[in-house]
Amino acid sequence: MYSLRGRRFGALLIAATLALTACGSKTGENDSSSSGAVADTSGDTVKVGLLNSLSGTMAISEVTVRDSIKLAVEEINAAGGVLGKKLEPISEDGASDWPTFAEKAEKLIKEDRVAAVFGCWTSASRKAVKPVFEENKALLFYPVQYEGLEQSPYIFYTGATTNQQIVPGLDYLKSQGKTSVYLVGSDYVFPRTANKIIKAYAAANGMTILGEDYAPLGSTEFGTIVNKVKASKASAVFNTLNGDSNVAFFKEYKSAGLTAASMPVVSVSIAEEEVKSIGTQYLADQLTAWNYYQTTPGAANDKFVKAYKAKYGADKPTSDPMEAAYVSVYLWKAMVEKAGAFDVAKVKAASDGVTFEAPEGTVTIDGATQHIYKTARIGKVGGDGLITEVWNSGSPVKPDPYLKGYTWATGLS
Amino acid sequence: MTVIVSQLFTGVSIGAVLLLIALGLSLTFGQMGVINMAHGEFIMAGAYTVYVLQKVITGAGWSLLIALPIAFAVAGAMGVLLEFLLIRRLYARPLDTLLVTWGVSLILQQAARDIFGAPNVQTKAPDALTGNVRITDDLVLSNNRLFILGLAGLAVVALTLVLRFTSLGRRIRAVVQNRDLAAVSGIPTGRVDRLTFFIGSGLAGVAGVALTLLGPIGPTMGTNVIIDAFLVVVAGGIGHLKGSVIVAFALGTLQSLIEYSTTVSVAKVLVFVAIVAFLQWRPQGLFTLRTRSMA
């Protein structure tokens, strides 16, 4: 009799596990009314979509991006709107779940009939919504640094591509004599592609890659990975972890006795907001590669930082993805005004050469790639939680998403 | 060599975390015969207790120590409430209990989201726990993991003492082994059930405090660990402390040793495969409860 009971428990357990997994992965139903949804610009207001993870493991980062998009929308409305129409932001929660992103993107485009969507953070979420935007001929502004090797006609990339962030980061490590590197990343498309690029760079530039490890997104168990990093005796770590796995990783890193002096970590997804929540005691003097820091000098940045703090609180830092998101709304406005219409095809045609005095400095859209010219900056985390620049590229770097200008990168795409 | 030693230490400390999260579950599982799906949310409640306390008490060391008993009480009280309001009406209806506790788990997650906000939060670890014990240059044992190991050890010893040597412990064991016989022998099973739930859920609260030392606190942290806790309890044998302890450390060590030579994902898969194979061989878990009941 006992085995029967045992078997029933087993069945219950399996049912429970299935239920738990199932609730994490609902897929959107597919009512594909084939024609592209047209944005509704008939009224006094124009709707714009905000698509960010407001819950789940990515919320730590994406909520701040949503906040700065809202700030830009408010500023634009206060100054009279776009082509005389006020913007009406519609915010949706992608919930750190890629199918949800696709579902919400479809809702914004088809039901709300927005003129443009701003948002997404992880490349996995961008890849999930890309077909939705392409099929509906709608515009997405993607504000986060990413792995490159992509150029959708319906996405504008206002964050850095690899040659504006990762390659300068590697150049910096090389110039510091840190030539043996360990790669740690989250297990999804951005870190894997970024590391492929890093390995190609290393092979051509006399650097050695001592190891490569991926943790599932949201993972908080880094004991073994840190042991491996430590045993490798690398001179630096290149970190492409995303979300709050970084919290667990840096806690473990410090506990293992590793420091910025003994083995610096270059991170490409840790900005001021993440520094604050990970805790400065774990990150002191570690390096980051970005295009903007709160400390970046200039009148445009002073104005941005002041406006952000006035709206969201004096203790809220500003960061690179927030800045890129803020800039993306203004760039869209400039494109619409240049085109004289909200029509997606006309806006796209008007994009080349549109500039904006951004907090990071003047940014210009490269119409051919739909990326923007950005200055690369390496920074060091200070005790106050802010990041100060230790190196910059001098002038804005032309975006090269497919790394065509680099001989070592042939065969990557 | 040092690599193996430091990996063993990592494995043992993963095992300690598993043990802490599974210990309370094993107790309530033994008593009600079904997994309490809301156990993970009691862990979350314990973790948020630290977060709330740190708003009041700024010293990270004190707030952590004070959080231990408070988290035990908070999670324990939630457990008693769950038992009193819902579960006691559903004994002998395992499937219903499972669904009800799962529903409660979803409600608690949403409640946490509404109270504390959807983004995960962090707590400050006391300075004493961010350091490490240096044995050689390559072999350092981190203080927070040593602390968790100690905490798990303490919890096991305390629970063993209670179960083996107190009259409450005897009653709990009696109810687990045969509820009806215990009842006719004059044991107030209702009260024993509530106390069992208090202790089991309280231990989840303590586990929650320990988890704040390792990672972020969020509404879904419970669901992230509950499956691991299931595995430990099921593979260890229902209502068996000894089984849970052995399985927790075995799984932790297995995970960390495989992970060192492969990757995180491969290690997870192999551990799952190992458990499935083990349950094929011993579907009742490592240890079986010998009873004369006809169930």
Side-chain angles (χ1 to χ4, degrees), chain B residues 143-174:
Chain B
N143 289 352
N144 57 356
R145 290 194 178 268
L146 287 171
F147 175 78
I148 290 173
L149 199 55
L151 196 63
L154 206 67
V156 171
V157 171
L159 191 58
T160 311
L161 291 180
V162 167
L163 286 182
R164 195 165 293 171
F165 298 112
T166 65
S167 65
L168 171 66
R170 265 194 302 279
R171 287 180 195 161
I172 290 177
R173 281 184 289 143

Short mmCIF file of all heavy atoms in Angstrom, two decimals, chain B residues 143-174:
data_model
loop_
_atom_site.label_atom_id
_atom_site.label_comp_id
_atom_site.label_asym_id
_atom_site.label_seq_id
_atom_site.Cartn_x
_atom_site.Cartn_y
_atom_site.Cartn_z
N ASN B 143 32.86 34.21 5.51
CA ASN B 143 32.19 34.24 6.80
C ASN B 143 30.68 34.03 6.69
O ASN B 143 30.08 33.39 7.54
CB ASN B 143 32.45 35.58 7.49
CG ASN B 143 33.87 35.68 7.96
OD1 ASN B 143 34.62 34.71 7.90
ND2 ASN B 143 34.27 36.85 8.42
N ASN B 144 30.06 34.60 5.61
CA ASN B 144 28.61 34.46 5.55
C ASN B 144 28.21 33.01 5.35
O ASN B 144 27.23 32.54 5.89
CB ASN B 144 27.99 35.39 4.51
CG ASN B 144 28.55 35.20 3.13
OD1 ASN B 144 29.47 34.41 2.95
ND2 ASN B 144 28.02 35.91 2.15
N ARG B 145 29.04 32.27 4.58
CA ARG B 145 28.71 30.85 4.38
C ARG B 145 28.96 30.04 5.65
O ARG B 145 28.22 29.11 5.96
CB ARG B 145 29.50 30.30 3.19
CG ARG B 145 28.98 30.88 1.88
CD ARG B 145 29.49 30.13 0.67
NE ARG B 145 28.94 30.70 -0.54
CZ ARG B 145 27.82 30.29 -1.13
NH1 ARG B 145 27.14 29.29 -0.61
NH2 ARG B 145 27.40 30.86 -2.23
N LEU B 146 30.02 30.40 6.38
CA LEU B 146 30.26 29.73 7.66
C LEU B 146 29.09 29.98 8.60
O LEU B 146 28.63 29.09 9.31
CB LEU B 146 31.57 30.23 8.28
CG LEU B 146 32.85 29.74 7.62
CD1 LEU B 146 34.06 30.47 8.18
CD2 LEU B 146 33.01 28.24 7.82
N PHE B 147 28.60 31.22 8.57
CA PHE B 147 27.47 31.59 9.42
C PHE B 147 26.24 30.75 9.07
O PHE B 147 25.56 30.22 9.96
CB PHE B 147 27.18 33.09 9.25
CG PHE B 147 25.96 33.57 10.00
CD1 PHE B 147 26.02 33.80 11.36
CD2 PHE B 147 24.77 33.78 9.32
CE1 PHE B 147 24.90 34.25 12.05
CE2 PHE B 147 23.65 34.22 10.00
CZ PHE B 147 23.72 34.46 11.38
N ILE B 148 25.97 30.61 7.77
CA ILE B 148 24.80 29.84 7.34
C ILE B 148 24.95 28.37 7.73
O ILE B 148 24.01 27.72 8.18
CB ILE B 148 24.60 29.98 5.81
CG1 ILE B 148 24.13 31.41 5.51
CG2 ILE B 148 23.59 28.97 5.28
CD1 ILE B 148 24.05 31.74 4.05
N LEU B 149 26.20 27.88 7.58
CA LEU B 149 26.47 26.49 7.97
C LEU B 149 26.16 26.30 9.45
O LEU B 149 25.49 25.34 9.85
CB LEU B 149 27.95 26.20 7.67
CG LEU B 149 28.36 24.74 7.57
CD1 LEU B 149 27.53 24.02 6.56
CD2 LEU B 149 29.85 24.67 7.19
N GLY B 150 26.64 27.26 10.27
CA GLY B 150 26.39 27.19 11.71
C GLY B 150 24.91 27.24 12.01
O GLY B 150 24.39 26.49 12.85
N LEU B 151 24.22 28.12 11.31
CA LEU B 151 22.79 28.30 11.53
C LEU B 151 22.03 27.01 11.19
O LEU B 151 21.15 26.57 11.94
CB LEU B 151 22.29 29.45 10.65
CG LEU B 151 20.93 30.05 10.98
CD1 LEU B 151 20.96 30.66 12.37
CD2 LEU B 151 20.58 31.12 9.94
N ALA B 152 22.41 26.40 10.06
CA ALA B 152 21.75 25.15 9.66
C ALA B 152 22.00 24.07 10.70
O ALA B 152 21.09 23.33 11.10
CB ALA B 152 22.24 24.70 8.28
N GLY B 153 23.26 23.98 11.16
CA GLY B 153 23.62 23.00 12.17
C GLY B 153 22.79 23.18 13.43
O GLY B 153 22.21 22.24 13.98
N LEU B 154 22.71 24.44 13.86
CA LEU B 154 21.96 24.78 15.06
C LEU B 154 20.49 24.39 14.91
O LEU B 154 19.88 23.82 15.83
CB LEU B 154 22.07 26.29 15.28
CG LEU B 154 21.92 26.80 16.70
CD1 LEU B 154 23.09 26.32 17.54
CD2 LEU B 154 21.84 28.32 16.70
N ALA B 155 19.94 24.69 13.74
CA ALA B 155 18.52 24.40 13.51
C ALA B 155 18.27 22.89 13.58
O ALA B 155 17.30 22.43 14.19
CB ALA B 155 18.07 24.96 12.16
N VAL B 156 19.18 22.11 12.97
CA VAL B 156 19.01 20.65 12.98
C VAL B 156 19.09 20.12 14.41
O VAL B 156 18.24 19.34 14.84
CB VAL B 156 20.08 19.96 12.09
CG1 VAL B 156 20.04 18.46 12.29
CG2 VAL B 156 19.85 20.32 10.64
N VAL B 157 20.11 20.58 15.14
CA VAL B 157 20.28 20.10 16.52
C VAL B 157 19.05 20.46 17.36
O VAL B 157 18.48 19.62 18.06
CB VAL B 157 21.56 20.70 17.14
CG1 VAL B 157 21.62 20.38 18.63
CG2 VAL B 157 22.78 20.12 16.43
N ALA B 158 18.62 21.71 17.25
CA ALA B 158 17.48 22.16 18.06
C ALA B 158 16.24 21.35 17.72
O ALA B 158 15.52 20.88 18.61
CB ALA B 158 17.23 23.64 17.82
N LEU B 159 16.01 21.15 16.43
CA LEU B 159 14.81 20.43 16.01
C LEU B 159 14.87 18.97 16.47
O LEU B 159 13.88 18.41 16.94
CB LEU B 159 14.67 20.51 14.49
CG LEU B 159 13.34 20.04 13.91
CD1 LEU B 159 12.20 20.83 14.51
CD2 LEU B 159 13.33 20.20 12.40
N THR B 160 16.08 18.37 16.37
CA THR B 160 16.24 16.99 16.82
C THR B 160 15.93 16.87 18.30
O THR B 160 15.22 15.96 18.75
CB THR B 160 17.68 16.50 16.56
OG1 THR B 160 18.02 16.82 15.22
CG2 THR B 160 17.80 15.01 16.76
N LEU B 161 16.49 17.81 19.08
CA LEU B 161 16.26 17.77 20.52
C LEU B 161 14.78 17.89 20.83
O LEU B 161 14.24 17.14 21.66
CB LEU B 161 17.04 18.90 21.22
CG LEU B 161 18.56 18.74 21.21
CD1 LEU B 161 19.24 19.91 21.91
CD2 LEU B 161 18.97 17.42 21.87
N VAL B 162 14.12 18.83 20.16
CA VAL B 162 12.69 19.02 20.42
C VAL B 162 11.91 17.75 20.07
O VAL B 162 11.08 17.27 20.85
CB VAL B 162 12.15 20.22 19.61
CG1 VAL B 162 10.62 20.24 19.63
CG2 VAL B 162 12.68 21.52 20.18
N LEU B 163 12.19 17.19 18.92
CA LEU B 163 11.42 16.02 18.48
C LEU B 163 11.69 14.81 19.35
O LEU B 163 10.80 13.99 19.59
CB LEU B 163 11.75 15.69 17.02
CG LEU B 163 11.15 16.63 15.98
CD1 LEU B 163 11.50 16.17 14.57
CD2 LEU B 163 9.63 16.73 16.12
N ARG B 164 12.95 14.68 19.79
CA ARG B 164 13.28 13.44 20.48
C ARG B 164 13.01 13.49 21.97
O ARG B 164 12.63 12.49 22.56
CB ARG B 164 14.76 13.10 20.21
CG ARG B 164 15.08 11.67 20.56
CD ARG B 164 16.39 11.21 19.98
NE ARG B 164 16.36 11.13 18.52
CZ ARG B 164 17.45 10.92 17.79
NH1 ARG B 164 18.63 10.82 18.38
NH2 ARG B 164 17.37 10.83 16.49
N PHE B 165 13.24 14.67 22.58
CA PHE B 165 13.25 14.66 24.04
C PHE B 165 12.13 15.44 24.71
O PHE B 165 12.04 15.46 25.91
CB PHE B 165 14.61 15.18 24.55
CG PHE B 165 15.75 14.30 24.12
CD1 PHE B 165 16.68 14.75 23.20
CD2 PHE B 165 15.86 13.01 24.63
CE1 PHE B 165 17.72 13.94 22.81
CE2 PHE B 165 16.90 12.20 24.22
CZ PHE B 165 17.83 12.65 23.31
N THR B 166 11.30 16.13 23.96
CA THR B 166 10.23 16.85 24.65
C THR B 166 8.90 16.12 24.43
O THR B 166 8.76 15.34 23.49
CB THR B 166 10.08 18.29 24.12
OG1 THR B 166 9.66 18.22 22.77
CG2 THR B 166 11.39 19.06 24.22
N SER B 167 7.94 16.43 25.28
CA SER B 167 6.65 15.77 25.12
C SER B 167 5.96 16.27 23.86
O SER B 167 5.27 15.53 23.17
CB SER B 167 5.78 16.00 26.36
OG SER B 167 5.46 17.38 26.45
N LEU B 168 6.22 17.56 23.51
CA LEU B 168 5.68 18.09 22.26
C LEU B 168 6.22 17.27 21.09
O LEU B 168 5.48 16.89 20.18
CB LEU B 168 6.07 19.56 22.09
CG LEU B 168 5.74 20.15 20.73
CD1 LEU B 168 4.24 20.22 20.51
CD2 LEU B 168 6.36 21.54 20.56
N GLY B 169 7.52 16.98 21.15
CA GLY B 169 8.16 16.22 20.07
C GLY B 169 7.54 14.84 19.94
O GLY B 169 7.27 14.37 18.84
N ARG B 170 7.32 14.20 21.08
CA ARG B 170 6.71 12.87 21.04
C ARG B 170 5.33 12.93 20.41
O ARG B 170 4.94 12.09 19.62
CB ARG B 170 6.61 12.29 22.47
CG ARG B 170 7.79 11.39 22.82
CD ARG B 170 7.51 10.57 24.06
NE ARG B 170 7.21 11.41 25.22
CZ ARG B 170 8.13 12.00 25.97
NH1 ARG B 170 9.41 11.84 25.69
NH2 ARG B 170 7.78 12.75 26.99
N ARG B 171 4.58 13.98 20.76
CA ARG B 171 3.23 14.10 20.20
C ARG B 171 3.29 14.35 18.70
O ARG B 171 2.50 13.78 17.94
CB ARG B 171 2.49 15.26 20.87
CG ARG B 171 2.09 14.93 22.28
CD ARG B 171 1.36 16.09 22.87
NE ARG B 171 1.28 15.94 24.31
CZ ARG B 171 1.02 16.94 25.12
NH1 ARG B 171 0.85 18.15 24.64
NH2 ARG B 171 0.95 16.73 26.40
N ILE B 172 4.22 15.20 18.30
CA ILE B 172 4.34 15.46 16.86
C ILE B 172 4.63 14.15 16.13
O ILE B 172 3.99 13.82 15.13
CB ILE B 172 5.46 16.48 16.57
CG1 ILE B 172 5.05 17.87 17.07
CG2 ILE B 172 5.78 16.54 15.08
CD1 ILE B 172 6.10 18.93 16.91
N ARG B 173 5.58 13.39 16.68
CA ARG B 173 5.93 12.14 16.01
C ARG B 173 4.74 11.19 15.98
O ARG B 173 4.50 10.51 14.99
CB ARG B 173 7.13 11.49 16.70
CG ARG B 173 8.45 12.13 16.27
CD ARG B 173 9.64 11.43 16.88
NE ARG B 173 9.73 11.67 18.31
CZ ARG B 173 10.12 10.76 19.20
NH1 ARG B 173 10.42 9.54 18.80
NH2 ARG B 173 10.18 11.05 20.49
N ALA B 174 3.98 11.18 17.07
CA ALA B 174 2.81 10.30 17.12
C ALA B 174 1.80 10.68 16.03
O ALA B 174 1.28 9.83 15.32
CB ALA B 174 2.17 10.39 18.50
#
